[in-house]
Amino acid sequence: MRGPLRSSLWPLVGLVSFGHGQDEAIWTMLNASVGGRLHATRPFSLPCFSLYNGNTVAVDEVACSQIRDNYTTNSIHAEAPSGYMNLQGEMCLAEPLDQCTLDNTMIPAPEPGAGTSCNQGSVPSYYIEVEDASDINVALNFTREYQVPLAIKNSGHDYMTRNSQKGSLALWVHKLQDLDFHNDFVPEGCTGNLNAGRAITAGTGVSTGDLYNFAHEHESTFLGGYSPTVAASGGWVLGGGHSVLSPVYGLGADRVIEFKIVTPDGVLRVANQCQHEDLFWALRGGGGATFGIVLEATHRVEPSMPVAVANIRIPSNVTTKTSLEWIELMARQSLAWGKQGWGGHAGGLYLTYMNPVPAVANLTDGGVAARNSMRAATEFALSIGGTSDVQVLPSFLDVWNNYVLPGALTTAGVTRILATRLIPRSLFEDEAGITKLMDFMETVQELGFDPRNFYCPVDTPFVADGATKLGTGNGTRPATSVQPAWYNSLWDISTSLTIAWNASYAERLHNMTAITKATILAEKLTGTDGGTYPNEANPFTPNWRESWWGDNYEALLDIKRKYDPDGLLNCWKCVGFEDEDISTNRFSCQGKLQQDVNRNLAGFI
């Protein structure tokens, strides 16, 4: 057994910053404790390189060809322990040479230049392929004793650099794939009169696409995210989880009924409204990778139903002025659309909305009600040579397969930074609010953001008249721990940018400074009535605690300290992260940029 262990562990010895008492022997013992499922984590694109951390390695032509041909394909990244949808998860943002990325401007991705080294970046040094709670407890005990940082890695959907850390041990939970359907789910420890109805229990690694199909097989509708490879029981729901159907049925955090979780103190717990209620509240919006490692979650589902869809586009060659006019039209119509049940994504050149409300999603009227509802957008688009497709389909899965899935398969392999802001409904209620919103759009344009690239999820919860609000039986605090602004907002406006795969540090700093200025302007636009979705936030937001969780933060911190008294789980600007962490070696890949962004913002804030 000693031979195989050496062959899997030896190549990365030295990459982990060993502390007191650490050597190869402890990793060998850890590997034995998890049945040989401890592996060295090699960067996703390593097969294409002849140098690894400066040392000569053999190029794997077959594996490299597959990577180059599919570099932007989500599924190939999701199924790899070192695969990250957004490259900031695998590169060291503060050190441009410390990365292992390919040129993503074309497919197949070009081969790396001669003499280019694939470096580890922020990719964890080792990972454990988690099968059950015992694996997690072994890892928690290991990090408690040897002070090796822990990271939690699922399908790699993370804009915030939270699912990777340089020199860390990762818990790869993507193989937790169990699925169960319940007609009448009663949370563990609750009495029968707390029957939650039809529900699905999904392992942490189950993808949204698989959940949509599984629900459809059981004549049900699951409310999930906009990418098929997002793991619905992981960071999506833990951060809040918005859906195109949220205006009618709420956020993922509103709909989750129960979690099975190993908390950092080493205890396997079931958290719901009847036991560990404080933890249940924290998990419904307090963010992933900090309160524990979720094994599975149980989610309410709705019966299968017809869904209306509106897919309206304006020509891609329009001017920025026309794009701003389109955005203004959507702003003026959005409150009415939301009350009618529409939710979806608004863009600088398009909108794709869905609506499950029977008055609009009516299969018997040939789509007339849906088209009448979207008439203003249709007329604008058609008047300038655009297109409009508004119809009603028999199920959400039909809408998903025809209108969302084709465009959601190849969004990986880029360094995309988001900066979002929840815009209160009050801004959409009068002319003064609309003017204020459009003034903001023109101001961020001066910072370099093209309105044609505007992107805005319009899926805030319970906007629709008669929306299905879900009680929890706990009157001591809000039902969820998400930023309270979610429940008074209409848009989740985004000012995003994409950083070149080979950008210099100066270019990265310029981009991060610009997006942080846009973040501050968005905060000024909404004041304290707004907030930010922590799953899609600017990682360099200055006042992140207030922006992401508002008045909920202090209660979340108390719960964090209760279940993680030793602070074993710590990730970038998660609950429990302290300002002094910014300057530590553990977070050096983000910290240097944060400090330089702060200096650049002097006088702007």
Side-chain angles (χ1 to χ4, degrees):
M1 190 170 183
R2 177 68 175 171
L5 286 174
R6 285 183 59 85
S7 65
S8 68
L9 297 178
W10 184 260
L12 279 185
V13 169
L15 281 182
V16 178
S17 300
F18 293 146
H20 177 70
Q22 290 185 35
D23 55 29
E24 184 190 354
I26 67 165
W27 296 99
T28 301
M29 289 188 294
L30 176 61
N31 189 44
S33 298
V34 294
R37 282 175 284 105
L38 173 69
H39 306 281
T41 318
R42 291 169 173 81
F44 180 77
S45 300
L46 175 60
C48 296
F49 288 79
S50 59
L51 290 174
Y52 178 33
N53 294 322
N55 300 310
T56 301
V57 293
V59 172
D60 185 333
E61 299 287 355
V62 174
C64 177
S65 178
Q66 183 183 21
I67 290 167
R68 291 175 56 222
D69 289 345
N70 298 280
Y71 197 58
T72 60
T73 300
N74 293 25
S75 58
I76 191 173
H77 290 266
E79 296 304 320
S82 60
Y84 296 86
M85 300 297 159
N86 299 290
L87 295 180
Q88 62 264 36
E90 59 181 274
M91 61 173 54
C92 181
L93 282 170
E95 298 292 342
L97 294 180
D98 193 3
Q99 62 184 40
C100 187
T101 57
L102 301 180
D103 180 350
N104 54 22
T105 60
M106 63 185 75
I107 296 295
E111 295 179 0
T116 303
S117 179
C118 166
N119 296 321
Q120 193 74 10
S122 290
V123 176
S125 296
Y126 298 103
Y127 73 91
I128 295 171
E129 184 177 318
V130 174
E131 290 186 349
D132 54 35
S134 65
D135 295 332
I136 296 169
N137 265 318
V138 167
L140 290 169
N141 290 332
F142 180 84
T143 198
R144 185 179 290 107
E145 182 171 358
Y146 296 106
Q147 301 302 301
V148 175
L150 273 180
I152 302 171
K153 169 69 168 60
N154 202 325
S155 64
H157 276 275
D158 179 30
Y159 295 101
M160 306 297 296
T161 72
R162 291 170 172 166
N163 59 1
S164 62
Q165 283 187 36
K166 177 180 282 294
S168 67
L169 168 65
L171 292 172
W172 191 39
V173 296
H174 191 57
K175 296 297 185 180
L176 300 176
Q177 292 283 329
D178 288 347
L179 274 170
D180 290 296
F181 179 81
H182 317 271
N183 279 310
D184 296 291
F185 184 83
V186 178
E188 185 175 314
C190 297
T191 60
N193 63 347
L194 288 176
N195 189 320
R198 68 171 69 193
I200 291 175
T201 299
T204 301
V206 177
S207 71
T208 295
D210 286 347
L211 263 168
Y212 287 151
N213 284 288
F214 183 76
H216 186 75
E217 291 168 6
H218 291 84
E219 299 182 340
S220 299
T221 304
F222 178 79
L223 277 77
Y226 213 63
S227 171
T229 46
V230 166
S233 293
W236 176 79
V237 69
L238 295 170
H242 59 72
S243 161
V244 294
L245 302 182
S246 289
V248 178
Y249 294 110
L251 299 170
D254 292 302
R255 304 183 57 78
V256 67
I257 309 165
E258 184 172 279
F259 292 96
K260 184 177 289 186
I261 181 174
V262 178
T263 45
D265 55 7
V267 180
L268 175 62
R269 290 182 161 91
V270 173
N272 54 41
Q273 68 187 74
C274 301
Q275 55 184 335
H276 306 303
E277 297 97 325
D278 57 347
L279 181 61
F280 183 51
W281 177 79
L283 294 171
R284 301 174 80 191
T290 189
F291 296 101
I293 298 90
V294 172
L295 297 173
E296 65 183 33
T298 302
H299 312 261
R300 286 181 173 90
V301 293
E302 300 297 322
S304 185
M305 67 191 87
V307 176
V309 58
N311 186 39
I312 303 173
R313 298 179 178 271
I314 64 176
S316 60
N317 61 351
V318 298
T319 64
T320 57
K321 179 177 181 295
T322 300
S323 178
L324 285 170
E325 291 171 353
W326 167 248
I327 293 169
E328 182 175 345
L329 180 144
M330 291 189 292
R332 293 182 179 279
Q333 296 291 323
S334 278
L335 189 56
W337 287 339
K339 289 182 176 181
Q340 293 166 16
W342 291 101
H345 291 201
L349 298 172
Y350 69 94
L351 68 77
T352 304
Y353 277 25
M354 294 101 185
N355 192 331
V357 173
V360 176
N362 187 344
L363 283 171
T364 65
D365 74 350
V368 171
R371 286 192 292 274
N372 286 341
S373 178
M374 281 288 164
R375 177 173 294 142
T378 294
E379 291 177 350
F380 182 96
L382 296 180
S383 71
I384 58 172
T387 61
S388 177
D389 178 12
V390 183
Q391 59 176 308
V392 181
L393 295 180
S395 71
F396 176 75
L397 187 66
D398 293 312
V399 173
W400 169 261
N401 286 334
N402 285 281
Y403 290 92
V404 180
L405 188 59
L409 298 175
T410 54
T411 61
V414 296
T415 310
R416 183 178 296 110
I417 307 293
L418 298 186
T420 62
R421 188 68 177 173
L422 293 164
I423 308 299
R425 294 172 202 172
S426 58
L427 279 182
F428 299 86
E429 292 175 345
D430 55 34
E431 194 65 29
I434 297 293
T435 299
K436 191 176 180 181
L437 179 62
M438 296 313 299
D439 285 346
F440 165 78
M441 292 300 305
E442 293 183 6
T443 300
V444 295
Q445 187 179 356
E446 295 171 5
L447 290 173
F449 296 92
D450 190 329
R452 290 168 293 196
N453 296 327
F454 170 77
Y455 169 71
C456 177
V458 186
D459 45 17
T460 52
F462 307 129
V463 178
D465 291 335
T468 306
K469 298 192 177 182
L470 307 167
T472 64
N474 184 342
T476 61
R477 55 166 59 99
T480 71
S481 55
V482 301
Q483 160 64 258
W486 270 111
Y487 299 105
N488 299 300
S489 296
L490 186 62
W491 278 13
D492 184 20
I493 201 168
S494 173
T495 46
S496 63
L497 54 81
T498 301
I499 300 174
W501 67 280
N502 58 348
S504 67
Y505 182 78
E507 291 168 330
R508 293 179 183 186
L509 176 58
H510 173 79
N511 284 324
M512 298 307 182
T513 301
I515 202 166
T516 305
K517 287 181 177 179
T519 298
I520 293 168
L521 289 173
E523 291 175 349
K524 291 179 178 178
L525 168 68
T526 66
T528 56
D529 291 336
T532 299
Y533 180 34
N535 283 355
E536 298 175 357
N538 169 10
F540 303 99
T541 301
N543 60 330
W544 55 276
R545 296 174 183 85
E546 176 187 347
S547 182
W548 302 352
W549 288 290
D551 292 341
N552 289 332
Y553 185 80
E554 289 304 319
L556 286 168
L557 184 59
D558 288 342
I559 296 167
K560 162 73 171 176
R561 290 169 174 164
K562 174 182 176 181
Y563 291 99
D564 188 9
D566 298 323
L568 295 186
L569 295 181
N570 193 14
C571 52
W572 182 256
K573 294 187 179 177
C574 297
V575 172
F577 183 89
E578 299 294 345
D579 290 340
E580 51 263 32
D581 291 330
I582 291 172
S583 58
T584 61
N585 287 335
R586 180 171 182 172
F587 296 106
S588 59
C589 287
Q590 305 96 328
K592 183 177 187 295
L593 264 174
Q594 180 73 75
Q595 292 169 328
D596 287 343
V597 166
N598 291 348
R599 280 189 281 271
N600 286 351
L601 293 175
F604 185 83
I605 298 178

